[in-house]
Amino acid sequence: MKTTLFAFRFTRSTRLTSLRPALHTRICPKCKLSSPFQRRYAHTPADDPYFQSIVDNPAVLVKSGQKHGPGLIVLILIPAIAFGLGTWQVFRLQWKTDLIARFEDRILKPPLPLPPRIDPAAIKDFDYRRVVTIGLLRHDQEMLIGPRVHDGNDGYLVVTPLQREGIASKILVNRGWIPKRLKRQVDRLAGLPTGEVTVEGLLREPWKKNMFTPDNKPELGEFYFPDVEQMAKFTGSDPVWIEETMAPDLLKAYDREAVGIPIGRPAEVNLRNNHTQYIFTWYALSAATAIMFWMVVKKPLPDSIRRVRQNKEW
């Protein structure tokens, strides 16, 4: 029995071995493909009809190291620029604070009699300085600047040349605000004083026009902005601008508005100082965009890039 079993095993092994060459050459007549059993007993990769070399299927180069595009450069510039603007506003706040303190110190001083001759170049050193002068108001050369809003009402600023006492030259006086309904002089005769008057106000530096304000038309009597040089040339006055002041009094202001007497401005500094808000805005924008940049950099790689990096280990 042992001999017969040995012969049977030997015969089976011999049959399988003898079948291998035939299996490698036997192809399915329908699909023309070899069976999985053939590929299993293939001696070399070339014996497998599915084998593909690097020549048959060349590798494709894929950029796997570049995680972000040019937008990342823009994203890193935004927090840097915003931080720089916030720092610049810090210096602007210090400058504006010192400027307001200097002007308030000038206002606290007693009124200075206006000298006979005034150098326009020296007005900058006396901006917001309280001055007093005497003269005759030239209502025939009155100019209205507007529209201007006061307490929610439309109106105009009344600018009248002042012929100073004993001096041939004139200066420009911003007398204050009147309502729109009293634009004509005949409707506000109470606001047209005659004879010599004493004017007390602030000596101001010429205003600067912004890009949104239309140009004045002196020949038509239309003034939208106090262009001191232009208005002085139009009336034959010196380019000296004084803003008449009055004590803040609500009842007195109502009485003046009713009869057309110009409402003067209070003797105080009215410069805008919003630099603290600008500092907060720019620094907050810088912090927010910096966090966005960090989140983008730390974001996990897409699955495609991870697969490419893993395939490089083949």
Side-chain angles (χ1 to χ4, degrees):
M1 182 180 294
K2 293 183 179 179
T3 306
T4 304
L5 181 59
F6 177 79
F8 172 76
R9 292 182 178 177
F10 175 78
T11 305
R12 184 180 180 184
S13 175
T14 305
R15 289 177 181 176
L16 293 176
T17 306
S18 62
L19 287 175
R20 287 180 179 175
L23 291 175
H24 289 304
T25 57
R26 182 167 61 86
I27 306 297
C28 177
K30 294 183 179 180
C31 58
K32 303 299 182 181
L33 298 175
S34 60
S35 63
F37 186 73
Q38 290 175 297
R39 295 196 300 273
R40 178 181 178 184
Y41 289 97
H43 295 286
T44 61
D47 294 332
D48 189 352
Y50 286 103
F51 175 76
Q52 292 182 348
S53 67
I54 193 172
V55 178
D56 301 325
N57 187 17
V60 179
L61 297 179
V62 179
K63 291 184 178 180
S64 61
Q66 185 177 3
K67 296 169 54 177
H68 308 285
L72 190 64
I73 301 178
V74 178
L75 189 59
I76 196 175
L77 288 177
I78 293 177
I81 295 175
F83 183 83
L85 292 175
T87 304
W88 177 64
Q89 288 297 331
V90 172
F91 291 101
R92 290 283 295 177
L93 175 63
Q94 183 63 37
W95 168 79
K96 183 62 70 67
T97 303
D98 294 341
L99 183 65
I100 293 176
R102 184 164 62 251
F103 289 161
E104 290 178 346
D105 181 67
R106 293 175 183 176
I107 289 179
L108 294 177
K109 296 180 180 180
L112 177 70
L114 200 64
R117 300 296 177 185
I118 302 174
D119 183 8
I123 295 179
K124 181 178 180 180
D125 299 329
F126 292 88
D127 196 11
Y128 276 95
R129 185 69 167 86
R130 294 173 60 191
V131 295
V132 60
T133 186
I134 301 175
L136 179 66
L137 291 173
R138 295 290 304 271
H139 300 294
D140 57 321
Q141 295 182 330
E142 179 184 88
M143 296 167 287
L144 300 180
I145 301 177
R148 286 292 188 274
V149 179
H150 178 75
D151 291 339
N153 299 320
D154 291 336
Y156 299 92
L157 294 178
V158 180
V159 180
T160 307
L162 178 69
Q163 183 71 53
R164 301 175 63 192
E165 182 182 14
I167 303 174
S169 63
K170 295 176 289 185
I171 61 175
L172 300 176
V173 178
N174 177 12
R175 301 183 59 206
W177 179 88
I178 60 171
K180 185 178 182 179
R181 59 183 176 82
L182 299 178
K183 178 179 180 181
R184 300 187 307 169
Q185 289 187 352
V186 294
D187 297 331
R188 49 182 173 88
L189 297 177
L192 304 175
T194 58
E196 290 187 350
V197 296
T198 300
V199 176
E200 181 178 339
L202 301 178
L203 183 63
R204 292 300 315 278
E205 190 178 5
W207 295 20
K208 296 181 181 180
K209 175 185 174 182
N210 57 42
M211 60 183 299
F212 302 104
T213 305
D215 296 330
N216 294 334
K217 300 177 181 179
E219 63 280 0
L220 301 178
E222 298 178 0
F223 296 90
Y224 306 99
F225 186 82
D227 190 336
V228 177
E229 297 288 342
Q230 182 187 54
M231 299 174 76
K233 184 178 180 180
F234 180 71
T235 58
S237 306
D238 294 334
V240 179
W241 179 271
I242 294 179
E243 295 182 355
E244 190 172 3
T245 58
M246 60 172 287
D249 191 331
L250 187 60
L251 297 178
K252 187 176 181 180
Y254 285 155
D255 294 338
R256 287 194 170 204
E257 181 180 353
V259 297
I261 300 177
I263 301 176
R265 56 160 298 171
E268 60 185 20
V269 181
N270 57 357
L271 295 180
R272 296 175 57 184
N273 188 7
N274 298 328
H275 297 288
T276 303
Q277 301 177 11
Y278 299 152
I279 291 172
F280 175 79
T281 301
W282 287 119
Y283 278 157
L285 179 61
S286 177
T289 51
I291 294 174
M292 292 175 57
F293 173 77
W294 181 83
M295 294 176 62
V296 171
V297 172
K298 293 297 182 180
K299 183 179 179 181
L301 294 176
D303 294 339
S304 60
I305 296 181
R306 287 203 299 267
R307 286 197 298 269
V308 170
R309 290 193 171 182
Q310 291 173 1
N311 293 343
K312 290 175 66 177
E313 302 297 332
W314 292 355

